């Protein structure tokens, strides 16, 4: 049997773990429920991916945003690790084929949204799988005290009934003490081991700019950025307007919001991730956990 460090070296080409990844992985292999609070970029995904690759069975990953799901699945496929994203892009027949692949095709990861999990057919199909681990990403969405509260997260405790032999890992990069308590209570994880890491990041700079000329200041800021960028806008309309403005100024950008079709979102995401359009203008529907190593700035327009 391979060890966690061997899996890390084989698929991720890293020679060592960051703290506390190794401790989380060890606890998970020992079938402990865990709550993981690590900063964005802190390697949360490895904490459930490596145990899954070391064990029999499948990991069911609950994630709130299509962009995050597609990002994770694409990265696993690049490493020749079999993963399936169960999104609205799949019709009924494709969904059945996906579950056949999960059951008989040596697939290791199933990614889906909390809303998708409410479908009785999906619940029945998951119940037929050998699920070893359930990973609930962006777990702060379960709390009404959290800034991204999502009512569908309140029903995720049903996973304990669907997959009684699986242990649960709840992951987030943002949780106050009250939000943490909600995660424990509403997911019924009072017995979980809690892992926290300092959110202090010496390689990040934070700057608040107050100005009446928001778009003029935005252009000034972009002139100093060498690399990819994300601009978060307050509304769908604003994300589109800013993208059009940037195009007129000679900047290559895409926009992304919750009102777009799945194909439109995929096109915007692909254009950004490939650097065809290195600037993404988005609402919070885009999420904040996309893994893109050349992002040099994240701008929030209030």
């Amino acid at each position: 049997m391979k060890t966690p460090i061997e899996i890390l070296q084989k698929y991720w080409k890293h020679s060592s773990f960051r703290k506390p990844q190794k401790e989380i992985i060890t606890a998970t292999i020992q079938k402990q429920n865990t709550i993981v609070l690590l900063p964005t970029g802190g390697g949360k995904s490895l904490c459930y991916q490596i145990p899954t690759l070391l064990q029999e069975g499948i990991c069911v990953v609950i994630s709130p945003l299509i962009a995050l799901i597609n990002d994770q699945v694409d990265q696993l496929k690049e490493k020749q690790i079999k993963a399936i994203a169960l999104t609205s892009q799949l019709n009924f027949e494709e969904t059945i084929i996906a579950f056949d692949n999960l059951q008989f095709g040596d697939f290791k990861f199933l990614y889906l949204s909390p809303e998708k999990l409410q479908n009785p057919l999906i619940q029945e199909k998951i119940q037929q799988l050998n699920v070893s681990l359930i990973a609930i990403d962006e777990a702060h969405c379960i709390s009404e005290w959290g800034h991204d509260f999502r009512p569908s997260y309140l029903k995720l405790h049903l996973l304990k009934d669907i997959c009684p032999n699986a242990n649960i890992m709840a992951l987030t990069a943002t949780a106050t003490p009250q939000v943490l308590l909600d995660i424990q209570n509403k997911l019924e994880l009072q017995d979980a081991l809690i892992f926290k890491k300092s959110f202090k990041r010496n390689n990040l700079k934070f700057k608040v700019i107050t100005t009446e000329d928001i778009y003029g200041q935005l252009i000034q800021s972009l002139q100093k950025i060498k690399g990819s960028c994300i601009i978060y806008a307050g509304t769908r309309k604003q994300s589109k307007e800013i993208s059009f403005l940037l195009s007129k100024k000679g900047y290559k950008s895409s926009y992304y919001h919750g009102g777009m079709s799945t194909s439109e979102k995929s096109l915007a995401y692909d254009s950004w991730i490939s650097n065809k359009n290195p600037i993404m203008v988005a609402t919070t529907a885009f999420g904040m956990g996309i893994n893109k190593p050349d992002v040099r700035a994240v701008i929030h327009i209030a």
Side-chain angles (χ1 to χ4, degrees):
M1 180 177 175
K2 289 186 178 294
T3 64
I5 194 67
E6 287 173 332
I7 297 293
L8 181 72
Q9 292 167 344
K10 178 180 178 180
Y11 292 105
W12 283 271
K13 312 304 180 187
H14 299 318
S15 59
S16 62
F17 289 106
R18 302 175 187 173
K19 277 192 167 294
Q21 287 176 326
K22 185 178 179 180
E23 291 83 357
I24 297 167
I25 291 166
T26 299
T28 304
I29 292 171
Q30 294 172 351
K31 305 303 288 183
Q32 293 272 358
N33 292 329
T34 55
I35 298 175
V36 177
L37 281 75
L38 296 180
T40 299
K44 291 189 293 296
S45 300
L46 286 181
C47 295
Y48 63 80
Q49 289 170 344
I50 288 180
T52 301
L53 294 173
L54 286 167
Q55 301 177 107
E56 293 291 326
I58 286 167
C59 178
V60 174
V61 186
I62 306 297
S63 184
L65 300 171
I66 292 175
L68 294 176
I69 288 174
N70 289 337
D71 179 58
Q72 290 286 330
V73 171
D74 288 346
Q75 288 190 51
L76 288 169
K77 287 181 177 179
E78 285 177 8
K79 295 175 174 61
Q80 306 301 310
I81 297 170
K82 292 184 176 182
I84 285 177
L86 202 64
T87 67
S88 56
Q89 291 175 293
L90 301 184
N91 59 33
F92 176 80
E93 183 178 345
E94 290 169 331
T95 298
I96 298 300
I97 292 171
F99 275 104
D100 284 345
N101 286 333
L102 286 161
Q103 193 162 9
F104 306 112
D106 198 30
F107 278 72
K108 294 299 290 181
F109 295 92
L110 168 62
Y111 283 77
L112 72 162
S113 70
E115 289 79 16
K116 198 78 173 173
L117 182 66
Q118 307 312 310
N119 184 319
L121 172 65
I122 302 300
Q123 293 178 20
E124 179 184 338
K125 288 294 184 181
I126 290 176
Q127 203 163 16
Q128 295 170 8
L129 301 176
N130 176 21
V131 179
S132 61
L133 177 62
I134 297 162
I136 300 174
D137 204 7
E138 309 293 339
H140 59 274
C141 293
I142 202 168
S143 175
E144 293 181 47
W145 295 87
H147 61 277
D148 289 324
F149 174 60
R150 193 141 164 173
S152 55
Y153 266 71
L154 294 173
K155 300 177 182 179
L156 293 183
H157 59 83
L158 62 81
L159 284 164
K160 283 194 166 187
D161 296 324
I162 298 173
C163 310
N165 298 320
N167 53 305
I168 296 175
M169 180 185 295
L171 307 103
T172 180
T174 170
T176 64
Q178 180 61 55
V179 171
L180 178 58
L181 187 62
D182 275 356
I183 292 171
Q184 289 176 288
N185 291 338
K186 292 174 180 175
L187 290 177
E188 300 175 6
L189 294 178
Q190 289 85 354
D191 63 337
L193 297 178
I194 299 174
F195 295 90
K196 297 181 184 180
K197 185 176 181 180
S198 171
F199 283 67
K200 183 178 180 181
R201 302 287 291 277
N202 293 325
N203 62 327
L204 296 182
K205 293 182 180 179
F206 296 88
K207 189 174 185 180
V208 177
I209 300 174
T210 302
T211 178
E212 293 183 3
D213 184 10
I214 293 175
Y215 295 157
Q217 180 62 55
L218 175 62
I219 298 299
Q220 285 186 39
S221 298
L222 290 175
Q223 290 171 350
K224 302 173 185 176
I225 298 167
K226 307 299 181 185
S228 188
C229 174
I230 307 175
I231 300 168
Y232 284 103
T235 65
R236 297 175 179 180
K237 180 181 178 182
Q238 189 183 40
S239 68
K240 191 173 180 179
E241 287 176 349
I242 292 173
S243 182
F244 286 169
L245 169 69
L246 294 179
S247 296
K248 288 181 181 178
K249 296 291 185 179
Y251 292 92
K252 294 180 178 180
S253 72
S254 300
Y255 64 90
Y256 188 112
H257 60 67
M260 297 165 63
S261 68
T262 301
S263 59
E264 288 172 328
K265 289 176 181 176
S266 295
L267 179 61
Y269 171 82
D270 291 342
S271 296
W272 179 71
I273 207 78
S274 66
N275 277 334
K276 179 181 178 182
N277 292 332
I279 299 173
M280 175 64 81
V281 189
T283 64
T284 54
F286 188 61
M288 294 188 183
I290 305 295
N291 187 1
K292 192 170 190 285
D294 66 336
V295 172
R296 293 293 173 261
V298 178
I299 299 171
H300 294 261
I301 295 178

